[in-house]
Amino acid sequence: MIGAVEPDAIQGAFRALADPTRRGILLHLSNQDMTIGEVADQFDITRAAVKKHLTILEEGDLISVRVSGRERINHLEPATLKSVSDWLGYFNRYWDDRLARLGDAIENHEAVESISPTGKQK
Amino acid sequence: MIGAVEPDAIQGAFRALADPTRRGILLHLSNQDMTIGEVADQFDITRAAVKKHLTILEEGDLISVRVSGRERINHLEPATLKSVSDWLGYFNRYWDDRLARLGDAIENHEAVESISPTGKQK
DNA sequence: TTGACATAAAACCTTTTGGTATCATATAAC
DNA sequence: GTTATATGATACCAAAAGGTTTTATGTCAA
């Protein structure tokens, strides 16, 4: 009965993140851009399989690709990862009240000093 | 060639989060505990399908279940969601330098005032 | 230009996934 | 004690996932 109450773009990202190889690829790309071959060297699967993973990461907007001659250079695209993090952020209040209040303070442009760094207030 | 450089527990959580129905269930459970039937009322699929989703959420440690008579009461388990958030947090520095420094400050128990709330320093 | 190299693309295979329908069982209500 | 209710458990199905192998294509280098 319910429609998804979330930005549609996030589905492709969550789908891409569900596979451990793809998460590993993201970690590698966070250090440096890589061609398909360079990525494939890091895993025990064929280049073709790696290419499929990279396609899914691209569909999820987690990476972008620049073609240079015969090479495809894969580059981490952090913006969509932030969307995912924001979605999870909805649950922040369940695991860290203090962090939630810090976040509120930032949102409201309040003085950060009003929150003690040593303990919970309120 | 590389082994996953991540806590093993996170895989079940990412797998569970990959499906939009399951993410919807988590949002519902964040408001209140629910039986299978109550969850199923919120979606256009059979109870059996909902039950499968709940099983996957439980396997991913995103929910816990308490049996009460003939009912199964499903309860959001935020701790694992935090693990997922922490994994994503690794990429924080790519999308928000200031927030990363705030986090560092908290970790190090430094004075929060050292970071201006109005703009980036350094 | 010839060969080596990086990738593309397609066909194919097995397992997992998301769903259904059906039947069984335990419990609550009357 | 019956009956309705909430869930469990199976069997089944189509599509998607994750992989491989093979064949083709464009590009760099000698």
Side-chain angles (χ1 to χ4, degrees):
Chain A
M1 286 299 188
I2 207 178
V5 202
E6 63 181 20
D8 199 54
I10 219 173
Q11 169 57 28
F14 267 117
R15 174 205 179 205
L17 287 169
D19 183 90
T21 299
R22 288 193 291 264
R23 291 195 301 277
I25 292 174
L26 290 180
L27 288 174
H28 281 294
L29 292 182
S30 77
N31 291 325
Q32 52 184 304
D33 291 355
M34 287 178 151
T35 65
I36 296 183
E38 286 168 341
V39 173
D41 286 344
Q42 308 296 320
F43 299 89
D44 254 348
I45 54 180
T46 60
R47 271 181 193 75
V50 168
K51 168 62 160 51
K52 285 190 185 182
H53 284 308
L54 289 168
T55 299
I56 291 171
L57 286 168
E58 199 183 356
E59 286 172 355
D61 276 320
L62 295 180
I63 67 171
S64 61
V65 180
R66 175 172 48 99
V67 176
S68 168
R70 61 181 165 180
E71 294 183 335
R72 266 173 82 92
I73 291 144
N74 299 277
H75 170 78
L76 181 69
E77 210 58 60
T80 310
L81 276 177
K82 171 153 172 49
S83 302
V84 173
S85 189
D86 288 346
W87 189 89
L88 286 169
Y90 173 79
F91 297 94
N92 273 349
R93 60 187 175 107
Y94 295 104
W95 72 63
D96 192 338
D97 287 335
R98 181 156 150 273
L99 184 57
R101 275 181 287 112
L102 250 184
D104 287 347
I106 292 172
E107 285 303 318
N108 301 332
H109 298 280
E110 293 170 8
V112 178
E113 300 90 301
S114 65
I115 298 174
S116 155
T118 55
K120 300 191 177 185
Q121 62 175 21
K122 172 188 178 184
Chain B
M1 284 302 187
I2 208 180
V5 202
E6 63 181 20
D8 199 54
I10 219 174
Q11 169 56 28
F14 268 118
R15 174 206 179 206
L17 287 169
D19 184 90
T21 299
R22 288 193 290 265
R23 292 196 300 279
I25 291 174
L26 290 179
L27 288 175
H28 281 294
L29 292 182
S30 77
N31 291 326
Q32 51 184 303
D33 292 355
M34 286 178 153
T35 65
I36 296 182
E38 286 168 341
V39 173
D41 286 344
Q42 308 296 320
F43 298 90
D44 253 349
I45 54 180
T46 61
R47 271 180 197 76
V50 168
K51 167 62 160 48
K52 285 192 183 179
H53 283 308
L54 289 168
T55 298
I56 291 172
L57 286 168
E58 198 183 357
E59 286 173 355
D61 276 321
L62 295 180
I63 67 171
S64 61
V65 179
R66 174 172 49 97
V67 176
S68 169
R70 64 180 163 179
E71 294 184 333
R72 266 174 81 93
I73 291 143
N74 300 278
H75 171 77
L76 181 69
E77 211 58 61
T80 309
L81 276 177
K82 170 153 172 51
S83 301
V84 174
S85 189
D86 288 346
W87 188 91
L88 287 170
Y90 173 78
F91 297 94
N92 273 351
R93 60 188 175 104
Y94 294 104
W95 72 63
D96 192 339
D97 288 335
R98 181 156 149 273
L99 183 58
R101 275 181 286 112
L102 249 184
D104 288 346
I106 292 172
E107 286 304 317
N108 302 331
H109 297 280
E110 291 172 9
V112 179
E113 301 90 299
S114 65
I115 297 174
S116 155
T118 54
K120 300 192 177 184
Q121 63 176 18
K122 175 182 177 185

XYZ file of all heavy atoms in Angstrom, chain A residues 32-119:
700
model
N 42.739 5.972 -5.547
C 43.188 6.471 -6.842
C 42.255 5.986 -7.945
O 41.638 4.943 -7.828
C 44.600 5.950 -7.122
C 44.700 4.441 -6.952
C 46.118 3.933 -7.139
O 46.720 4.172 -8.175
N 46.655 3.253 -6.127
N 42.194 6.764 -9.011
C 41.458 6.333 -10.198
C 42.141 5.107 -10.781
O 43.358 4.950 -10.646
C 41.446 7.459 -11.233
C 40.602 8.642 -10.778
O 39.968 8.541 -9.710
O 40.594 9.656 -11.495
N 41.364 4.241 -11.412
C 41.931 3.006 -11.952
C 41.245 2.606 -13.252
O 40.047 2.806 -13.419
C 41.734 1.856 -10.956
C 42.613 1.901 -9.730
S 42.196 0.492 -8.648
C 43.769 0.216 -7.839
N 42.008 1.975 -14.126
C 41.417 1.371 -15.318
C 40.771 0.036 -14.918
O 40.986 -0.463 -13.810
C 42.491 1.079 -16.375
O 43.387 0.091 -15.847
C 43.285 2.333 -16.704
N 40.016 -0.516 -15.839
C 39.382 -1.806 -15.564
C 40.440 -2.852 -15.224
O 40.298 -3.614 -14.267
C 38.552 -2.272 -16.785
C 37.401 -1.293 -17.028
C 38.029 -3.684 -16.566
C 36.493 -1.700 -18.167
N 41.490 -2.860 -16.021
C 42.550 -3.845 -15.789
C 43.178 -3.708 -14.420
O 43.424 -4.707 -13.734
N 43.427 -2.465 -14.020
C 44.026 -2.243 -12.699
C 43.105 -2.727 -11.585
O 43.559 -3.332 -10.605
C 44.340 -0.749 -12.514
C 45.553 -0.281 -13.317
C 45.697 1.230 -13.361
O 44.698 1.941 -13.102
O 46.804 1.714 -13.672
N 41.816 -2.466 -11.750
C 40.865 -2.953 -10.749
C 40.875 -4.478 -10.737
O 40.945 -5.111 -9.672
C 39.442 -2.429 -11.025
C 38.450 -3.079 -10.073
C 39.389 -0.914 -10.889
N 40.850 -5.063 -11.930
C 40.758 -6.523 -12.036
C 41.964 -7.199 -11.376
O 41.842 -8.301 -10.832
C 40.643 -6.945 -13.494
N 43.123 -6.538 -11.428
C 44.321 -7.108 -10.799
C 44.147 -7.301 -9.294
O 44.851 -8.100 -8.675
C 45.528 -6.192 -11.033
C 46.026 -6.277 -12.475
O 45.649 -7.240 -13.169
O 46.783 -5.392 -12.901
N 43.224 -6.574 -8.715
C 43.040 -6.629 -7.269
C 42.106 -7.753 -6.837
O 41.939 -7.991 -5.644
C 42.471 -5.298 -6.758
C 43.257 -4.076 -7.214
C 44.659 -4.072 -6.653
O 44.868 -4.427 -5.496
N 45.631 -3.688 -7.472
N 41.474 -8.415 -7.793
C 40.496 -9.450 -7.444
C 40.762 -10.730 -8.226
O 41.487 -10.723 -9.217
C 39.074 -8.943 -7.721
C 38.707 -7.730 -6.907
C 38.966 -6.454 -7.387
C 38.130 -7.861 -5.650
C 38.640 -5.326 -6.637
C 37.806 -6.749 -4.892
C 38.072 -5.473 -5.394
N 40.147 -11.782 -7.756
C 40.380 -13.098 -8.347
C 39.311 -13.489 -9.350
O 38.998 -14.669 -9.500
C 40.420 -14.151 -7.232
C 41.849 -14.618 -6.997
O 42.713 -14.304 -7.833
O 42.093 -15.296 -5.988
N 38.743 -12.534 -10.001
C 37.719 -12.834 -11.003
C 38.180 -12.248 -12.334
O 39.144 -11.476 -12.393
C 36.349 -12.248 -10.599
C 36.475 -10.756 -10.308
C 35.780 -12.994 -9.405
C 35.177 -10.103 -9.911
N 37.481 -12.616 -13.399
C 37.893 -12.170 -14.737
C 37.637 -10.680 -14.939
O 36.818 -10.073 -14.248
C 37.111 -12.942 -15.818
O 35.717 -12.691 -15.633
C 37.376 -14.428 -15.713
N 38.340 -10.125 -15.934
C 38.100 -8.721 -16.285
C 36.639 -8.508 -16.643
O 36.051 -7.492 -16.294
C 38.949 -8.322 -17.499
C 40.322 -7.807 -17.178
C 41.056 -7.435 -18.463
N 42.476 -7.225 -18.222
C 43.344 -8.210 -18.008
N 42.927 -9.474 -18.009
N 44.623 -7.934 -17.788
N 36.050 -9.477 -17.342
C 34.653 -9.336 -17.767
C 33.742 -9.177 -16.553
O 32.834 -8.342 -16.552
C 34.232 -10.536 -18.589
N 34.004 -9.972 -15.517
C 33.180 -9.880 -14.308
C 33.377 -8.513 -13.644
O 32.410 -7.879 -13.212
C 33.533 -10.998 -13.344
N 34.638 -8.072 -13.597
C 34.911 -6.755 -13.004
C 34.203 -5.664 -13.791
O 33.599 -4.749 -13.211
C 36.427 -6.484 -12.969
C 36.715 -5.038 -12.642
C 37.094 -7.408 -11.955
N 34.238 -5.800 -15.101
C 33.552 -4.803 -15.933
C 32.069 -4.731 -15.582
O 31.473 -3.648 -15.498
C 33.736 -5.166 -17.411
C 32.856 -4.413 -18.394
C 33.102 -2.917 -18.378
C 32.607 -2.271 -19.671
N 31.240 -2.616 -20.037
N 31.445 -5.882 -15.362
C 30.023 -5.881 -14.987
C 29.810 -5.147 -13.669
O 28.877 -4.375 -13.516
C 29.506 -7.317 -14.878
C 29.282 -7.990 -16.218
C 28.544 -9.304 -16.014
C 28.388 -10.077 -17.312
N 27.633 -11.332 -17.101
N 30.695 -5.411 -12.707
C 30.575 -4.712 -11.423
C 30.717 -3.203 -11.617
O 29.968 -2.416 -11.031
C 31.642 -5.218 -10.456
C 31.337 -6.557 -9.866
N 30.135 -6.846 -9.245
C 32.060 -7.694 -9.786
C 30.146 -8.097 -8.812
N 31.299 -8.640 -9.135
N 31.676 -2.813 -12.450
C 31.883 -1.382 -12.681
C 30.662 -0.754 -13.354
O 30.291 0.387 -13.056
C 33.138 -1.166 -13.522
C 34.453 -1.457 -12.779
C 35.634 -1.508 -13.745
C 34.712 -0.400 -11.696
N 30.030 -1.517 -14.236
C 28.817 -1.009 -14.883
C 27.720 -0.755 -13.845
O 27.040 0.277 -13.880
C 28.315 -2.011 -15.937
O 29.325 -2.171 -16.942
C 27.038 -1.532 -16.581
N 27.578 -1.696 -12.931
C 26.546 -1.537 -11.903
C 26.874 -0.371 -10.976
O 25.998 0.396 -10.578
C 26.395 -2.852 -11.104
C 25.770 -3.918 -12.010
C 25.549 -2.640 -9.855
C 25.754 -5.311 -11.417
N 28.154 -0.208 -10.666
C 28.558 0.944 -9.851
C 28.263 2.252 -10.589
O 27.833 3.237 -9.977
C 30.055 0.852 -9.518
C 30.435 -0.188 -8.457
C 31.949 -0.399 -8.425
C 29.938 0.234 -7.077
N 28.478 2.231 -11.905
C 28.212 3.437 -12.706
C 26.709 3.703 -12.753
O 26.271 4.843 -12.621
C 28.791 3.246 -14.112
C 28.978 4.561 -14.859
C 29.483 4.336 -16.274
O 29.751 3.164 -16.638
O 29.595 5.330 -17.018
N 25.918 2.644 -12.925
C 24.459 2.806 -12.946
C 23.957 3.363 -11.615
O 22.972 4.091 -11.568
C 23.786 1.463 -13.228
C 23.913 1.000 -14.675
C 23.398 -0.421 -14.889
O 23.026 -1.088 -13.894
O 23.383 -0.873 -16.040
N 24.639 3.018 -10.557
C 24.265 3.527 -9.240
C 24.874 4.886 -8.946
O 24.732 5.404 -7.838
N 25.548 5.459 -9.928
C 26.154 6.795 -9.786
C 27.204 6.836 -8.686
O 27.448 7.883 -8.089
C 25.091 7.864 -9.500
C 24.452 8.349 -10.792
O 25.177 8.511 -11.777
O 23.226 8.555 -10.796
N 27.803 5.692 -8.402
C 28.840 5.682 -7.374
C 30.217 5.925 -7.980
O 31.163 6.262 -7.261
C 28.831 4.347 -6.614
C 27.554 4.105 -5.818
C 27.612 2.765 -5.098
C 27.334 5.220 -4.792
N 30.328 5.712 -9.274
C 31.575 6.042 -9.967
C 31.241 6.722 -11.286
O 30.106 6.655 -11.769
C 32.434 4.790 -10.266
C 31.744 3.895 -11.284
C 32.725 4.007 -8.997
C 32.613 2.756 -11.789
N 32.235 7.394 -11.851
C 32.101 7.932 -13.200
C 33.269 7.402 -14.007
O 34.260 6.941 -13.447
C 32.116 9.458 -13.175
O 33.345 9.916 -12.646
N 33.130 7.461 -15.324
C 34.138 6.872 -16.191
C 34.584 7.882 -17.236
O 33.756 8.568 -17.829
C 33.577 5.620 -16.896
C 34.644 5.005 -17.796
C 33.100 4.597 -15.867
N 35.896 7.963 -17.408
C 36.443 8.824 -18.450
C 37.215 7.929 -19.401
O 38.065 7.141 -18.986
C 37.385 9.854 -17.803
C 38.130 10.742 -18.792
C 38.873 11.862 -18.050
N 39.633 11.331 -16.899
C 40.946 11.069 -16.938
N 41.642 11.304 -18.025
N 41.560 10.595 -15.860
N 36.881 8.044 -20.674
C 37.567 7.222 -21.668
C 38.787 7.983 -22.162
O 38.694 9.150 -22.535
C 36.631 6.891 -22.843
C 37.390 6.112 -23.909
C 35.434 6.085 -22.350
N 39.920 7.310 -22.127
C 41.156 7.919 -22.594
C 41.853 6.924 -23.508
O 42.469 5.977 -23.042
C 42.028 8.272 -21.382
O 43.339 8.605 -21.803
N 41.716 7.158 -24.793
C 42.291 6.217 -25.751
C 41.622 4.868 -25.613
O 40.395 4.771 -25.623
N 42.411 3.854 -25.418
C 41.798 2.533 -25.285
C 41.501 2.196 -23.833
O 41.049 1.116 -23.516
C 42.709 1.471 -25.890
C 44.050 1.388 -25.211
C 44.955 0.335 -25.845
N 46.335 0.535 -25.402
C 47.348 -0.229 -25.778
N 47.157 -1.232 -26.595
N 48.561 0.016 -25.344
N 41.759 3.135 -22.935
C 41.525 2.865 -21.513
C 40.255 3.525 -21.002
O 39.827 4.568 -21.507
C 42.724 3.368 -20.688
C 44.001 2.592 -20.971
C 45.143 3.068 -20.081
O 45.100 4.233 -19.632
O 46.068 2.272 -19.822
N 39.685 2.901 -20.001
C 38.524 3.476 -19.290
C 38.971 3.743 -17.873
O 39.272 2.802 -17.130
C 37.390 2.459 -19.230
C 36.357 2.546 -20.317
C 35.427 1.361 -20.198
N 34.390 1.602 -19.181
C 33.203 2.126 -19.478
N 32.904 2.439 -20.706
N 32.303 2.313 -18.526
N 38.991 5.001 -17.498
C 39.461 5.342 -16.163
C 38.272 5.548 -15.239
O 37.427 6.418 -15.457
C 40.350 6.595 -16.214
C 41.641 6.215 -16.931
C 40.655 7.079 -14.801
C 42.189 7.294 -17.786
N 38.222 4.721 -14.202
C 37.098 4.736 -13.270
C 37.434 5.606 -12.069
O 38.505 5.498 -11.470
C 36.800 3.308 -12.813
C 36.424 2.423 -13.978
O 35.279 2.406 -14.411
N 37.403 1.693 -14.509
N 36.446 6.439 -11.708
C 36.674 7.471 -10.697
C 35.543 7.450 -9.667
O 34.368 7.425 -10.041
C 36.744 8.837 -11.407
C 36.735 10.015 -10.505
N 37.846 10.424 -9.805
C 35.743 10.884 -10.170
C 37.544 11.504 -9.084
N 36.272 11.808 -9.289
N 35.905 7.464 -8.407
C 34.894 7.471 -7.338
C 34.048 8.742 -7.399
O 34.572 9.840 -7.572
C 35.598 7.402 -5.974
C 34.672 7.378 -4.758
C 33.919 6.053 -4.698
C 35.462 7.590 -3.475
N 32.756 8.574 -7.247
C 31.817 9.704 -7.268
C 31.115 9.758 -5.917
O 30.123 9.094 -5.686
C 30.813 9.464 -8.401
C 30.269 10.711 -9.046
C 31.362 11.595 -9.615
O 32.117 11.152 -10.511
O 31.474 12.740 -9.138
N 31.650 10.554 -4.996
C 31.205 10.456 -3.594
C 29.801 10.995 -3.332
O 29.204 10.643 -2.324
C 32.230 11.309 -2.831
C 33.309 11.646 -3.815
C 32.699 11.551 -5.170
N 29.269 11.810 -4.237
C 28.000 12.481 -3.943
C 26.884 11.488 -3.624
O 26.119 11.674 -2.672
C 27.599 13.371 -5.122
N 26.788 10.437 -4.418
C 25.696 9.485 -4.188
C 25.918 8.702 -2.895
O 24.967 8.355 -2.196
C 25.563 8.521 -5.375
O 25.519 9.286 -6.578
C 24.296 7.702 -5.258
N 27.185 8.443 -2.567
C 27.469 7.810 -1.281
C 26.947 8.679 -0.147
O 26.459 8.179 0.868
C 28.980 7.607 -1.114
C 29.560 6.352 -1.755
C 31.066 6.323 -1.570
C 28.938 5.103 -1.145
N 27.043 9.976 -0.349
C 26.515 10.870 0.687
C 25.000 10.715 0.804
O 24.444 10.732 1.909
C 26.868 12.324 0.377
C 26.164 13.305 1.309
C 26.920 14.587 1.498
C 26.100 15.621 2.273
N 25.501 15.075 3.488
N 24.311 10.553 -0.325
C 22.860 10.335 -0.265
C 22.528 9.107 0.560
O 21.593 9.115 1.367
C 22.290 10.156 -1.676
O 22.564 11.278 -2.473
N 23.301 8.057 0.352
C 23.071 6.836 1.114
C 23.304 7.107 2.595
O 22.514 6.710 3.455
C 24.003 5.713 0.624
C 23.889 4.493 1.515
C 23.676 5.353 -0.816
N 24.380 7.785 2.865
C 24.697 8.105 4.257
C 23.582 8.942 4.884
O 23.211 8.739 6.035
C 26.026 8.867 4.308
O 26.457 9.021 5.631
N 23.047 9.865 4.090
C 21.952 10.693 4.595
C 20.718 9.845 4.890
O 20.024 10.068 5.879
C 21.599 11.784 3.575
C 22.667 12.863 3.513
O 23.517 12.910 4.432
O 22.672 13.653 2.551
N 20.446 8.887 4.019
C 19.293 8.012 4.266
C 19.471 7.299 5.600
O 18.576 7.283 6.435
C 19.151 6.994 3.136
C 17.872 6.204 3.225
C 16.670 6.518 2.682
C 17.690 4.968 3.939
N 15.749 5.549 3.006
C 16.337 4.596 3.773
C 18.532 4.143 4.692
C 15.807 3.439 4.340
C 17.998 2.993 5.251
C 16.656 2.648 5.081
N 20.647 6.757 5.799
C 20.921 6.072 7.063
C 20.871 7.057 8.223
O 20.519 6.701 9.348
C 22.294 5.409 7.016
C 22.369 4.157 6.156
C 23.809 3.731 5.970
C 21.557 3.028 6.772
N 21.221 8.294 7.926
C 21.245 9.320 8.972
C 19.898 9.489 9.646
O 19.823 9.924 10.793
N 18.842 9.111 8.923
C 17.515 9.188 9.526
C 17.458 8.404 10.824
O 16.732 8.767 11.754
C 16.471 8.640 8.549
C 15.104 8.531 9.149
C 14.267 9.644 9.295
C 14.634 7.298 9.597
C 13.018 9.537 9.871
C 13.372 7.177 10.170
C 12.574 8.306 10.301
O 11.336 8.185 10.871
N 18.244 7.346 10.894
C 18.203 6.476 12.073
C 19.191 6.910 13.147
O 19.260 6.298 14.210
C 18.492 5.024 11.665
C 17.468 4.460 10.731
C 17.668 4.520 9.362
C 16.302 3.898 11.208
C 16.718 4.005 8.478
C 15.351 3.377 10.335
C 15.556 3.437 8.970
N 19.944 7.990 12.859
C 20.949 8.453 13.818
C 20.401 8.535 15.239
O 21.034 8.094 16.191
C 21.445 9.848 13.437
C 22.588 9.785 12.455
O 23.124 8.707 12.218
N 22.953 10.909 11.896
N 19.232 9.116 15.343
C 18.691 9.387 16.671
C 18.551 8.121 17.512
O 18.463 8.176 18.720
C 17.339 10.078 16.562
C 16.288 9.248 15.820
C 15.041 10.111 15.620
N 14.034 9.431 14.822
C 12.906 8.930 15.345
N 12.684 8.997 16.631
N 12.021 8.345 14.550
N 18.522 6.965 16.819
C 18.371 5.723 17.570
C 19.674 5.230 18.154
O 19.680 4.371 19.006
C 17.772 4.629 16.689
C 16.369 4.969 16.275
C 16.101 5.420 14.992
C 15.337 4.879 17.199
C 14.811 5.764 14.629
C 14.050 5.220 16.843
C 13.791 5.661 15.557
O 12.521 6.002 15.212
N 20.789 5.741 17.630
C 22.043 5.226 18.158
C 22.957 6.281 18.741
O 23.961 5.958 19.339
C 22.779 4.374 17.138
C 23.397 5.113 15.983
C 24.391 6.035 16.059
C 23.087 4.982 14.607
N 24.705 6.483 14.819
C 23.929 5.850 13.898
C 22.184 4.186 13.881
C 23.888 5.964 12.518
C 22.154 4.317 12.510
C 22.987 5.190 11.845
N 22.634 7.555 18.557
C 23.523 8.565 19.111
C 22.817 9.911 19.256
O 22.829 10.727 18.352
C 24.768 8.717 18.226
C 25.851 9.536 18.910
O 25.518 10.313 19.836
O 27.008 9.408 18.524
N 22.225 10.098 20.404
C 21.498 11.336 20.652
C 22.397 12.555 20.519
O 22.024 13.568 19.956
C 20.910 11.317 22.072
C 19.738 10.354 22.158
O 19.111 10.107 21.123
O 19.473 9.873 23.264
N 23.606 12.421 21.041
C 24.486 13.587 21.076
C 24.873 14.014 19.660
O 24.843 15.200 19.328
C 25.736 13.247 21.887
C 26.685 14.418 21.999
C 27.562 14.289 23.209
N 28.842 14.915 22.981
C 29.875 14.320 22.430
N 29.792 13.055 22.057
N 31.013 14.965 22.261
N 25.207 13.039 18.821
C 25.570 13.358 17.451
C 24.392 14.011 16.737
O 24.561 14.961 15.981
C 25.993 12.087 16.707
C 26.487 12.319 15.277
C 27.658 13.287 15.277
C 26.887 11.008 14.620
N 23.198 13.518 17.024
C 22.015 14.097 16.401
C 21.905 15.573 16.760
O 21.620 16.412 15.913
C 20.762 13.343 16.853
N 22.178 15.872 18.040
C 22.074 17.276 18.447
C 23.171 18.121 17.809
O 22.953 19.259 17.442
C 22.088 17.386 19.974
C 20.677 17.189 20.549
C 20.639 17.319 22.050
N 21.235 16.158 22.688
C 22.368 16.204 23.368
N 23.019 17.339 23.515
N 22.837 15.107 23.926
N 24.345 17.542 17.662
C 25.416 18.246 16.962
C 24.969 18.582 15.542
O 25.130 19.704 15.079
C 26.668 17.369 16.893
C 27.859 17.791 17.741
C 29.026 16.864 17.484
C 28.248 19.232 17.444
N 24.399 17.606 14.880
C 23.913 17.811 13.521
C 22.871 18.917 13.469
O 22.921 19.800 12.614
N 21.971 18.896 14.434
C 20.952 19.945 14.495
C 21.603 21.313 14.638
O 21.217 22.275 13.981
C 20.018 19.697 15.692
C 19.089 18.518 15.422
O 19.004 18.085 14.262
O 18.470 18.046 16.379
N 22.603 21.370 15.503
C 23.282 22.636 15.744
C 23.881 23.171 14.442
O 23.770 24.359 14.123
C 24.376 22.461 16.795
N 24.481 22.290 13.694
C 25.075 22.720 12.428
C 23.990 23.214 11.477
O 24.091 24.281 10.881
C 25.839 21.548 11.781
C 27.071 21.200 12.624
C 26.271 21.904 10.357
C 27.776 19.936 12.174
N 22.923 22.434 11.388
C 21.828 22.818 10.506
C 21.307 24.212 10.839
O 21.037 25.019 9.976
C 20.681 21.809 10.624
C 20.954 20.491 9.925
C 21.265 20.668 8.438
O 20.575 21.472 7.785
O 22.201 20.008 7.938
N 21.157 24.463 12.135
C 20.554 25.722 12.576
C 21.554 26.856 12.695
O 21.214 27.937 13.155
C 19.864 25.517 13.929
C 18.795 24.443 13.838
O 18.215 24.236 12.775
N 18.559 23.755 14.931
N 22.795 26.594 12.344
C 23.844 27.606 12.457
C 23.948 28.169 13.868
O 24.222 29.345 14.068
C 23.611 28.753 11.462
C 23.649 28.281 10.056
N 24.812 28.059 9.376
C 22.650 27.964 9.200
C 24.534 27.641 8.147
N 23.226 27.566 8.022
N 23.686 27.333 14.826
C 23.821 27.751 16.216
C 25.285 27.677 16.632
O 26.096 27.047 15.942
C 23.018 26.841 17.148
C 21.523 26.968 16.944
C 20.776 25.891 17.704
O 21.444 25.160 18.498
O 19.582 25.761 17.501
N 25.592 28.283 17.759
C 26.956 28.198 18.277
C 27.242 26.757 18.680
O 26.475 26.135 19.408
C 27.122 29.113 19.478
N 28.324 26.229 18.181
C 28.649 24.851 18.484
C 29.069 24.701 19.941
O 28.908 23.651 20.543
C 29.774 24.354 17.556
C 30.159 22.929 17.876
C 29.334 24.458 16.109
N 29.574 25.806 20.522
C 30.053 25.735 21.900
C 28.953 25.373 22.883
O 29.222 24.959 24.005
C 30.650 27.078 22.345
C 31.823 27.543 21.518
C 31.369 28.401 20.348
O 30.575 27.880 19.536
O 31.772 29.566 20.269
N 27.698 25.526 22.462
C 26.607 25.264 23.392
C 26.483 23.784 23.714
O 25.765 23.405 24.620
C 25.289 25.777 22.811
O 24.960 25.031 21.642
N 27.188 22.970 22.970
C 27.143 21.539 23.259
C 28.460 21.095 23.874
O 29.513 21.248 23.278
C 26.870 20.729 21.984
C 25.500 21.127 21.432
C 26.930 19.254 22.280
C 25.193 20.495 20.108
N 28.356 20.551 25.050
C 29.568 20.101 25.731
C 30.155 18.888 25.034
O 29.438 17.962 24.695
C 29.218 19.747 27.170
O 30.155 18.819 27.661
N 31.447 18.914 24.820
C 32.077 17.771 24.174
C 32.300 16.606 25.131
O 32.712 15.537 24.709
C 33.412 18.323 23.680
C 33.700 19.481 24.566
C 32.388 20.000 25.061
N 32.014 16.777 26.397
C 32.371 15.730 27.356
C 31.189 14.896 27.821
O 31.361 13.816 28.366
C 33.022 16.317 28.607
O 32.149 17.301 29.143
C 34.349 16.962 28.243
N 29.993 15.365 27.642
C 28.873 14.570 28.130
C 27.561 15.059 27.568
O 27.519 16.082 26.887
